[in-house]
Structures are given as structure tokens and as C-alpha cells.
Amino acid sequence: MANNMQKRLMLKEMQLESLFETISAINANRSEEDLYTIYKLTLSSNPSITNLILYVIDDDDQGFSRFVNYGTHDDQLTSIFPPQFEVYDVSSKLEGDKPEGYEPFDTIIPIKHKNDVLAYALVGSTKDRDDFKDQGFTEALTNIILVAIENKKLARKEEVQKEMKKQLEIASHVQHMLFPKKLPYGNDVPVSVHASYMPHHSIGGDYYDYVPLSDTKFLMSIADVSGKGAPAALLMSNFQGTIRAMARRGTDLEHIVHEANTQILESAEGESFITAFFMEFDTTTRTLRYINAGHNPPFMYRNEKFERLEVGTTILGSFSQLPFLEIGEIDNLHQFFVFGFTDGFTETYNDEDEELGDDKLQEFLESNINFAQKEMHENLISLLNTFKGHQAYADDITLLSCKIDLEKLK
């Protein structure tokens, strides 16, 4: 009797010391790896425990991975948590037939946070050391370790979210600084440009620009980068910087597009691409030159007819050398209207799962061609909001229009 009391007292002293060391390690902010090691050493030092595995849910919720492994069981057969064990939602004895390799285990301990299982501990015990068996301690220690590790994961996620928020704020600020601060606009000017920009989130992957090249010449562009968020916005910012720098150095349109393709490929390493449309017009020569790089073809209205500006090349950032490149050129222009847009506009769906599409956009432009550009854009956005019904915008939306009337130069 006295001997049994002494053994139980010794066991409790060992457990208290182990708990003290575990809590001290947690308070010292020891790594997850260290906590798993402490857990393994603590339980494996108990003579009654012959086998131990701790499976913990992956951060990406793809299943349970083995983080602690001790004992005589077959490591290969027990590397993956058996799905049939997921029926256990409280600490239980393993009953009935067990999967191959799991015969040495007699107890399963699910560790929960609210209603979600964070981990499963499998324990195998010897039959001749009942004096050292204490499932309550094993369960308590497992809970303490897993709660501490879960808190570390949550803290890490919070830090990541804070950093992402900071990056988004910086990217949003940079992006808005890079958009043209002022566009030439009005009913009495020979060159009138108007833009509407609706990012899907605080920052977007759409881009538009207007760059005066001389007193008589300008470059206008619209683009859409694949992907969303800060990476898309930063890639677009680099893209814009390349275009502006080269345009202001007097680089011709063809070389601008080739250089932009190289820059995108180097920056995104083939993981993102950009569709873009570039238009260059000279009020003296009255010649429009353009390149469509895989972008939704803008509408052009002249001589009371609509056409699409499709000539150019493929998307930018997918090929080290563009497989083809053709420059569209239209001469002897006095009055015309160009309307560019990103696919977020035409690929908006309504409650009946119908896409707005290019045809509806052209119908609108045909019936609103005599409106002022600002009013036209406002009416288009109103049309889109009515069309989509209860559906949310799925992408960034940019509208860019240019109206030329050289009669107003006189």
C-alpha cells in the first residue's frame, strides 16, 4: 500500500515538473518545434507509454500531418492519419479492427478548439505498468501544447495580415499617384480624354494613362494585368513606369511594346501577363498609330461608323520574344472617337447568369455617341449597375475615351 502511494506521489511530482517546464517554455515563446519536442520527451519518459503519434491539422486544412512520432510501430504504415479514426470526437479506447500498422495503439485523444478538431493523439500503452498510466495527464498536456501552438499560428496569421494590409495601403497610394492627375477634357478642346476607374478592391490591376509627347502628339493607353491585389498593382506600376519613361524619351511605339514585354516577363517570371492597348496620335500629321496587345479591342467611331481596333500583337509577359507585331495606322483623321475598356465591364453577369458582352456595349455607344464623355461614362456605369442586379463586381473596371475634333484648333 505504501509502495503504491509512493509511486503515485512520484508520478504526480514528475507530471507537475513536466507541466512547469512546458508552461515555462510557452511563456518563453519557444518555437513550435521545441514544444513538440518537449511533448514527445515528456510522454515518452512515462514507462506505461510504448507508442505515441500526434497528428495536427495542416495550416491549409488539407488534412492531418504527423508532427510527433515515438514507439515501435511501423513508421511508414502510420505516416498518414486514418480517415476512419475521425469518427472519434472524444477521448476513447480504440475498439474493433484497426488499420494495418495501428495495432499497438489503444487510445485516441481528439483535441478540439470550439467545434473544430485541431489534432489527434494516438497512444499505445503497456499492460504491465498500470501504476504509471494516467490518461488525464496525457490529455491535459496535449491540450496545453496544442492550444499554445494554435495561438502561435493565429499570431503569425495576424502578423501576415497586418503586413499585407500595410503593403496594400502602400500599393494603393503608389497606384493613385501614378494615374494621370489631370486629363485634357472639355467640349471646346481639340483633344478630350476622360477616364472612369472602379477597382474591385482597394487596389486593382487595371491601368490607364495619357502622356503628352509634344505640343501636337500624345500617347494614350489602357491595360489589364492578370491576378489581383498588391502583386498585380505593383506589376502594373512597374509597367506604367516603363511606358512613361520610354515614351518621354521619344521611343517609337514598336520598341515601347517590345521593352514592356521584356520587363513584364522579368518581373513576373511568367506567372502574370498584361493585355494592353496603346494609341499614339499627332494633331499635325493627323495620323493615328496603335498596337493592341491582346486587349479587348476598343471601339472607334468615325465617318458615322463603328469599327474595332484589333491590329497588334499577343498578350505581354508570356513570350521572351513577341511572335508577331503589327502596327495599326489610320491617316487623314479630323474627327473621331475612341472608347477603350477592360474586360471587367463586359464580363459582368446578371442574376440570370447572362454576360453584358460587347454587343450591348456597342448598342449603348451607338445610341449615346453625341453625349459628352463624362455623361456617357456615368450612363454606362448606371447601365452596368442596373444590369448586374444583385451580383457583385467580379473584377476591376476601367473606361477610357478620347474624342478628337481638329476643327477646334482653328
Side-chain angles (χ1 to χ4, degrees):
M1 182 73 173
N3 190 37
N4 287 337
M5 288 287 294
Q6 187 176 4
K7 286 182 178 180
R8 283 197 293 270
L9 181 59
M10 182 175 66
L11 177 61
K12 292 302 178 184
E13 287 177 350
M14 290 172 54
Q15 291 173 346
L16 284 173
E17 185 176 347
S18 298
L19 287 175
F20 176 76
E21 291 176 356
T22 301
I23 293 171
S24 296
I26 292 170
N27 291 336
N29 200 27
R30 297 276 289 276
S31 67
E32 293 175 31
E33 183 178 356
D34 286 347
L35 295 182
Y36 284 128
T37 300
I38 291 170
Y39 176 78
K40 177 179 179 179
L41 291 175
T42 299
L43 293 184
S44 63
S45 64
N46 187 319
S48 73
I49 295 178
T50 57
N51 294 274
L52 173 69
I53 299 180
L54 181 66
Y55 297 96
V56 183
I57 191 75
D58 287 336
D59 288 341
D60 55 4
D61 292 335
Q62 294 300 307
F64 291 89
S65 296
R66 188 173 64 182
F67 278 80
V68 173
N69 185 31
Y70 161 76
T72 58
H73 50 272
D74 190 310
D75 287 354
Q76 187 173 356
L77 291 177
T78 58
S79 62
I80 299 174
F81 182 72
Q84 55 265 52
F85 283 175
E86 292 182 13
V87 298
Y88 293 96
D89 58 357
V90 295
S91 297
S92 309
K93 291 291 183 183
L94 288 172
E95 305 291 349
D97 294 334
K98 302 169 190 173
E100 184 181 1
Y102 290 88
E103 295 83 359
F105 297 95
D106 52 56
T107 304
I108 185 168
I109 303 173
I111 305 301
K112 289 184 175 182
H113 175 66
K114 297 181 180 179
N115 293 322
D116 299 323
V117 177
L118 301 179
Y120 288 96
L122 293 179
V123 181
S125 305
T126 181
K127 296 179 180 179
D128 57 0
R129 295 306 302 266
D130 287 343
D131 49 345
F132 275 91
K133 288 183 180 178
D134 190 339
Q135 183 176 320
F137 173 75
T138 302
E139 189 169 345
L141 182 64
T142 308
N143 269 286
I144 290 171
I145 291 288
L146 263 296
V147 168
I149 289 174
E150 183 66 14
N151 287 337
K152 281 180 171 289
K153 290 180 179 179
L154 291 174
R156 192 162 57 241
K157 287 178 181 177
E158 287 178 1
E159 286 301 315
V160 170
Q161 289 172 351
K162 286 180 183 178
E163 183 61 28
M164 286 182 63
K165 184 179 179 181
K166 183 179 178 181
Q167 290 181 8
L168 288 172
E169 289 173 351
I170 293 171
S172 179
H173 179 66
V174 170
Q175 187 178 46
H176 282 88
M177 285 180 62
L178 291 173
F179 282 128
K181 292 179 175 59
K182 187 176 181 180
L183 297 172
Y185 179 74
N187 294 324
D188 56 349
V189 295
V191 177
S192 178
V193 179
H194 188 66
S196 301
Y197 175 60
M198 302 165 59
H200 184 228
H201 297 292
S202 59
I203 58 175
D206 281 6
Y207 152 81
Y208 69 89
D209 209 350
Y210 171 86
V211 184
L213 304 177
S214 70
D215 292 340
T216 64
K217 191 176 180 181
F218 69 86
L219 174 69
M220 189 179 84
S221 54
I222 184 170
D224 185 2
V225 63
S226 64
K228 294 178 175 64
L234 292 173
L235 179 60
M236 192 59 80
S237 297
N238 291 335
F239 171 77
Q240 184 198 47
T242 300
I243 301 303
R244 281 194 174 186
M246 296 189 70
R248 286 171 174 161
R249 286 200 302 265
T251 310
D252 64 78
L253 201 55
E254 182 177 4
H255 281 89
I256 288 176
V257 172
H258 277 299
E259 182 61 29
N261 179 67
T262 300
Q263 181 266 320
I264 296 164
L265 196 62
E266 290 176 352
S267 298
E269 299 180 341
E271 294 184 2
S272 293
F273 61 85
I274 291 178
T275 68
F277 173 80
F278 307 90
M279 181 186 94
E280 187 181 84
F281 183 69
D282 192 322
T283 60
T284 301
T285 63
R286 300 183 177 184
T287 297
L288 182 146
R289 301 174 77 248
Y290 75 89
I291 294 176
N292 188 331
H295 196 75
N296 302 78
F299 290 91
M300 182 177 190
Y301 181 76
R302 61 174 176 137
N303 302 327
E304 299 184 354
K305 291 181 181 179
F306 276 94
E307 58 189 285
R308 306 295 292 273
L309 302 179
E310 301 177 327
V311 176
T313 184
T314 187
I315 57 178
L316 305 179
S318 291
F319 302 93
S320 56
Q321 295 292 329
L322 293 172
F324 61 91
L325 194 151
E326 184 179 355
I327 298 178
E329 189 167 312
I330 306 173
D331 298 318
N332 197 29
L333 290 169
H334 297 264
Q335 293 178 324
F336 66 91
F337 173 75
V338 172
F339 183 86
F341 59 97
T342 55
D343 59 14
F345 187 87
T346 52
E347 293 180 4
T348 296
Y349 284 81
N350 64 12
D351 293 333
E352 285 72 45
D353 202 31
E354 298 170 333
E355 186 182 68
L356 181 72
D358 287 17
D359 291 343
K360 287 187 178 67
L361 176 55
Q362 182 169 343
E363 289 173 10
F364 173 89
L365 293 174
E366 288 173 348
S367 60
N368 289 264
I369 194 61
N370 293 320
F371 279 75
Q373 290 161 271
K374 184 177 180 181
E375 188 175 359
M376 177 187 287
H377 284 219
E378 290 173 349
N379 291 343
L380 258 178
I381 293 170
S382 178
L383 168 72
L384 186 67
N385 287 329
T386 300
F387 174 82
K388 74 180 183 65
H390 297 93
Q391 302 304 305
Y393 290 119
D395 201 356
D396 308 319
I397 294 173
T398 301
L399 310 177
L400 180 65
S401 64
C402 176
K403 184 176 285 187
I404 303 294
D405 186 354
L406 299 186
E407 296 298 320
K408 294 176 181 176
L409 282 173
K410 300 174 182 179

